[in-house]
Amino acid sequence: MSAADTSDHAPAPTSPGAAPGRRVNSPTAAPDAVDAVVAAWERERPDLDLAAIAVVGRLGRVSLLLGPAQEKVFTDFGLQRGEFDVLAALRRSGTPYVLSPSRLSDLLMLSRAGMTNRLDRLESAGMIERSLDRADRRSFQIRLTERGYATVDSAMTRHAANVTALLAGLTPRELTSLDTLARKLLHDLTAAAP
């Protein structure tokens, strides 16, 4: 293991007088608004370990900033985020780009009522078609139309480029590390969910 590698595994630095295990920012990281919030709480409640509060605060702010930056791409294609998600689920399902409403609801973790609203809007826009399921005449199948296919392919191309640009400040190694940590956190939170 190189000297560079050991720094990734070294204990987090602590500030003088901090409680054991309390983390402080990397000396190369620029102070941000979360630092001010954490510093105020450390002053008022020095008994608390606020490392996780800092991380969650930054994740929340990142989410608030990334959301609108992604939404703009979908809006440029006349779509809301949820409508893009439906078209994308159909597109990545592969030929013949057909799924049942219940399967779409499961994939997108959306209620049946919420899915119906999205499907109504997409059908009105000519992006999808509903047809009776030949195997079960009581249910429908949702098919991506040529217009829907062209729209979601173009939107996905722009979305991928946009997100890549939004994260361009990270090195490939940092991006991989962030993905690994986000995957672990998502797994842990999903497993703990009721």
Side-chain angles (χ1 to χ4, degrees), residues 3-192:
D5 291 333
T6 58
S7 66
D8 291 343
H9 304 288
T14 57
S15 56
R22 178 162 298 175
R23 294 173 168 272
V24 296
N25 287 332
S26 162
T28 60
D32 60 19
V34 175
D35 289 321
V37 171
V38 171
W41 276 115
E42 284 177 339
R43 182 188 68 242
E44 296 299 315
R45 291 292 308 275
D47 57 309
L48 298 178
D49 179 356
L50 301 171
I53 292 288
V55 171
V56 169
R58 287 190 176 90
L59 288 175
R61 286 173 183 250
V62 165
S63 179
L64 287 173
L65 292 169
L66 286 177
Q70 294 177 81
E71 294 286 342
K72 174 149 186 0
V73 170
F74 307 135
T75 301
D76 288 347
F77 287 90
L79 299 170
Q80 296 175 15
R81 174 62 188 248
E83 294 165 353
F84 171 81
D85 290 343
V86 171
L87 296 177
L90 287 164
R91 173 64 177 90
R92 67 178 178 261
S93 72
T95 305
Y97 313 113
V98 174
L99 292 170
S100 69
S102 60
R103 180 68 179 136
L104 280 167
S105 293
D106 291 343
L107 288 171
L108 302 179
M109 296 181 287
L110 189 69
S111 72
R112 302 298 193 257
M115 180 57 65
T116 298
N117 291 336
R118 290 182 188 182
L119 295 177
D120 288 344
R121 290 192 303 267
L122 288 169
E123 187 175 35
S124 295
M127 305 277 188
I128 62 160
E129 291 177 346
R130 288 180 169 115
S131 60
L132 282 172
D133 185 346
R134 293 179 184 173
D136 180 359
R137 304 293 288 180
R138 295 169 301 170
S139 63
F140 288 89
Q141 292 288 312
I142 308 302
R143 184 181 69 80
L144 195 60
T145 64
E146 287 184 22
R147 181 177 182 188
Y149 181 100
T151 300
V152 73
D153 257 24
S154 295
M156 185 61 196
T157 299
R158 286 262 306 278
H159 177 50
N162 182 44
V163 171
T164 298
L166 289 169
L167 300 186
L170 300 176
T171 66
R173 181 177 178 182
E174 289 170 336
L175 196 58
T176 299
S177 296
L178 181 59
D179 182 56
T180 299
L181 293 170
R183 181 189 306 271
K184 181 179 187 308
L185 179 59
L186 181 60
H187 176 272
D188 291 348
L189 292 173
T190 302

